[in-house]
Amino acid sequence: MTEDAKFEDGREAPLNLGAMEAEDLKILSSLAQDAVFPITEMTWQPTKRRFGLLLNRFRWEDRGRERHGPERVQSLLVVDNVLRVASQGIDRSDKDTILSLLAITFEPGTEGAGHLLLTLAGDGALRLEVEALEVTLKDVTRPYRAPSGKVPHHEG
């Protein structure tokens, strides 16, 4: 006797990933690619040396996309050990701005320190000087249908 698949069987677990080296960061970057976020959802806590973004992330890892359509999920991207944050090509005074994350890369310095570069669509970027690489990406809501109903188009 075969058993029909249950709804629960098709549900993938929420992501909760960490990256403490450049190789792991590549995986995390690919999962966060094309995430969008309002400029107001960037948080820099200098005393805790922590930078956070609340992203609306496309679920690239979703194997059930054909069944239920493209989905996004809200995820928290947190970078620890941050000494300094700089931005380029972003008008931080325009609170209605929606930013799109293209990639997260690490430029190593000495003894584990370096710069984490968050490349944004439209020539914007965030550059985080870190004492050590420590990044987490954690889904914080249930997935929802992508408003566009489409898979993001990759350039390159």
Side-chain angles (χ1 to χ4, degrees):
M1 182 171 120
T2 58
E3 200 174 341
D4 287 340
K6 296 184 208 63
F7 172 75
E8 290 79 19
D9 296 343
R11 188 189 66 190
E12 292 89 357
L15 284 185
N16 188 357
L17 299 174
M20 297 181 90
E21 51 189 62
E23 277 305 305
D24 296 335
L25 189 64
K26 287 179 187 172
I27 295 165
L28 205 141
S29 176
S30 69
L31 291 165
Q33 187 174 0
D34 297 309
V36 292
F37 59 97
I39 199 166
T40 53
E41 293 296 351
M42 288 193 297
T43 309
W44 164 227
Q45 299 170 298
T47 55
K48 293 183 179 178
R49 301 196 316 171
R50 176 174 288 161
F51 179 82
L53 287 177
L54 183 62
L55 305 169
N56 293 294
R57 181 181 75 74
F58 187 80
R59 295 187 66 231
W60 292 110
E61 75 283 8
D62 181 18
R63 291 187 182 88
R65 195 176 306 148
E66 284 72 33
R67 189 175 69 250
H68 53 65
E71 291 182 336
R72 286 189 176 265
V73 64
Q74 283 202 314
S75 302
L76 200 54
L77 179 76
V78 177
V79 183
D80 285 300
N81 309 307
V82 180
L83 304 173
R84 194 171 294 116
V85 176
S87 65
Q88 153 192 336
I90 300 170
D91 181 359
R92 307 226 323 249
S93 66
D94 185 354
K95 302 297 181 198
D96 295 328
T97 300
I98 302 292
L99 300 169
S100 179
L101 182 62
L102 297 180
I104 307 168
T105 51
F106 184 63
E107 300 165 347
T110 56
E111 296 182 22
H115 291 92
L116 194 72
L117 192 64
L118 283 73
T119 305
L120 307 172
D123 297 328
L126 297 165
R127 186 178 171 91
L128 282 53
E129 183 181 335
V130 295
E131 193 171 52
L133 183 60
E134 187 177 350
V135 183
T136 55
L137 180 66
K138 181 179 182 177
D139 291 347
V140 294
T141 65
R142 291 185 68 115
Y144 60 91
R145 284 293 292 268
S148 69
K150 297 186 176 108
V151 174
H153 174 69
H154 289 304
E155 297 293 326

